[in-house]
Amino acid sequence: MENNLEIKDKFIDRTEELKEEKSFSQWREMWDMLKQNKTAIFGMIIIVILIIIAILGRYIMPYDPNVGELSQSLQTPSKLHWFGTDEQGRDILSRIIDGTKISLRVGITAVAFALTIGTVLGSVAGYYGGKIDMLIMRFMDVILAFPSLLLAIAFMSALGRGIDKAIIAISIVTIPEYARIVRSSILAVKESEYIQAARVIGNSDSAIIFKHILPNVISPIVVRATLGVSSAILDTAALGFLGLGVQPPAAEWGSMLGSGRGYFFNAPHIVVFPGIAITITVLAFNLFGDGLRDALDPRLRN
């Protein structure tokens, strides 16, 4: 009896080793293929630059982003103010640099929160099934029945204005996307042999889910999270444009568009440069996410 148990333990250990080796090999192949995708690398470079700007922004801003002179208002781009000034005489370049930190913070934090909650809910629904699955997924369907931006506006109206409230509202409306992806991925692998072997040796359900299942279905989750950051940044800008997101005098790209829309014909640079910043950021995350999706697709690797 003891010999049989030893053989079974060795078999499980060897299975885990082979699984880890296969996982490492797949990630290496993914990186090799990602490097061949020039648009994805371009997007990744832009993301790295944006992160550096967000971290070092206060050291590279030419002016205080929240202080201006009315006598300098609505100036066109010049040597002193590369992107011009807004209606209050504040330097637009400095405000865009400062807004990078806010947009990335909201986008990444909202996705991280939604990903965590969605992964837990999707894992429980997919692994246990039955009434638990039906209850969780029907609740997710209710949230998905409403347009995400409209629902975020409703949450902002209830929670109040501010960056923390924006993070909560955006994350709540995106939880169902991650829950559905995780659930479908778990349903595809939960009856695999290595999962059954993990049950035989007495692993708990939580250990099976987070140690054996999720590491093997992480690819679609990572891709969706990358693309989700761009969606979160767009939602943040939309809330700011409507006056529901980050409040003045904080420099947020959407609020800059909202406050400058009345000067579009007299001083178009007020809205052009924040709009370009939003476009470049969203495009960078989308390009990198698309390239990551292609690199993680085993059919394309083969």
Side-chain angles (χ1 to χ4, degrees):
M1 183 66 177
E2 293 181 358
N3 291 334
N4 291 336
L5 291 176
E6 291 179 0
I7 294 174
K8 183 181 294 185
D9 291 339
K10 291 180 180 180
F11 172 75
I12 297 299
D13 293 339
R14 182 55 181 167
T15 302
E16 291 294 330
E17 292 176 2
L18 292 174
K19 184 177 66 175
E20 292 177 359
E21 292 176 1
K22 182 179 179 181
S23 177
F24 176 78
S25 176
Q26 289 176 344
W27 282 104
R28 185 173 58 186
E29 291 178 4
M30 179 272 293
W31 173 244
D32 291 338
M33 186 171 182
L34 184 64
K35 290 190 296 184
Q36 299 175 8
N37 191 325
K38 295 182 179 180
T39 57
I41 295 299
F42 174 76
M44 185 175 67
I45 292 173
I46 297 298
I47 293 172
V48 172
I49 293 174
L50 290 171
I51 294 174
I52 294 174
I53 291 175
I55 296 174
L56 303 178
R58 61 180 179 175
Y59 301 108
I60 61 178
M61 288 185 293
Y63 301 94
D64 189 321
N66 299 323
V67 177
E69 297 181 11
L70 292 178
S71 61
Q72 303 292 323
S73 62
L74 301 180
Q75 288 192 357
T76 57
S78 62
K79 293 181 179 180
L80 292 178
H81 302 281
W82 290 3
F83 289 1
T85 60
D86 63 7
E87 71 280 5
Q88 296 185 26
R90 297 172 297 191
D91 183 67
I92 293 179
L93 174 59
S94 300
R95 290 181 63 77
I96 288 177
I97 292 174
D98 193 44
T100 304
K101 174 180 62 179
I102 297 175
S103 295
L104 290 183
R105 176 188 169 188
V106 175
I108 295 175
T109 306
V111 168
F113 181 80
L115 178 62
T116 302
I117 303 299
T119 298
V120 173
L121 294 177
S123 300
V124 172
Y127 186 78
Y128 291 104
K131 294 182 179 179
I132 296 178
D133 180 24
M134 182 182 68
L135 179 64
I136 293 176
M137 298 316 298
R138 294 299 76 77
F139 182 67
M140 297 295 104
D141 290 341
V142 170
I143 297 178
L144 287 173
F146 298 92
S148 60
L149 182 58
L150 181 62
L151 192 57
I153 293 174
F155 279 120
M156 290 296 296
S157 300
L159 296 173
R161 302 176 181 180
I163 186 171
D164 295 334
K165 310 299 191 306
I167 291 173
I168 295 174
I170 294 172
S171 60
I172 289 176
V173 301
T174 53
I175 285 175
E177 300 177 12
Y178 301 101
R180 291 171 69 91
I181 292 174
V182 173
R183 173 183 176 271
S184 61
S185 300
I186 287 182
L187 288 175
V189 302
K190 73 174 186 177
E191 298 301 331
S192 301
E193 293 181 356
Y194 69 93
I195 301 301
Q196 296 178 2
R199 291 195 188 100
V200 169
I201 63 175
N203 281 327
S204 62
D205 291 341
S206 60
I208 293 175
I209 292 173
F210 293 102
K211 183 179 179 181
H212 300 284
I213 296 181
L214 287 180
N216 291 280
V217 298
I218 197 173
S219 299
I221 303 173
V222 171
V223 173
R224 185 64 192 91
T226 304
L227 296 173
V229 174
S230 64
S231 300
I233 291 174
L234 273 179
D235 290 342
T236 304
L239 292 174
F241 181 82
L242 297 173
L244 297 174
V246 181
Q247 295 303 296
E252 194 275 319
W253 297 336
S255 62
M256 292 173 65
L257 287 174
S259 62
R261 66 181 182 273
Y263 304 91
F264 179 76
F265 294 102
N266 297 330
H269 63 275
I270 295 181
V271 295
V272 168
F273 290 112
I276 292 175
I278 296 172
T279 302
I280 291 176
T281 304
V282 172
L283 179 63
F285 277 99
N286 283 339
L287 290 177
F288 181 66
D290 288 341
L292 195 61
R293 179 186 57 197
D294 294 341
L296 291 173
D297 191 335
R299 294 171 297 181
L300 295 179
R301 286 205 305 268
N302 292 335

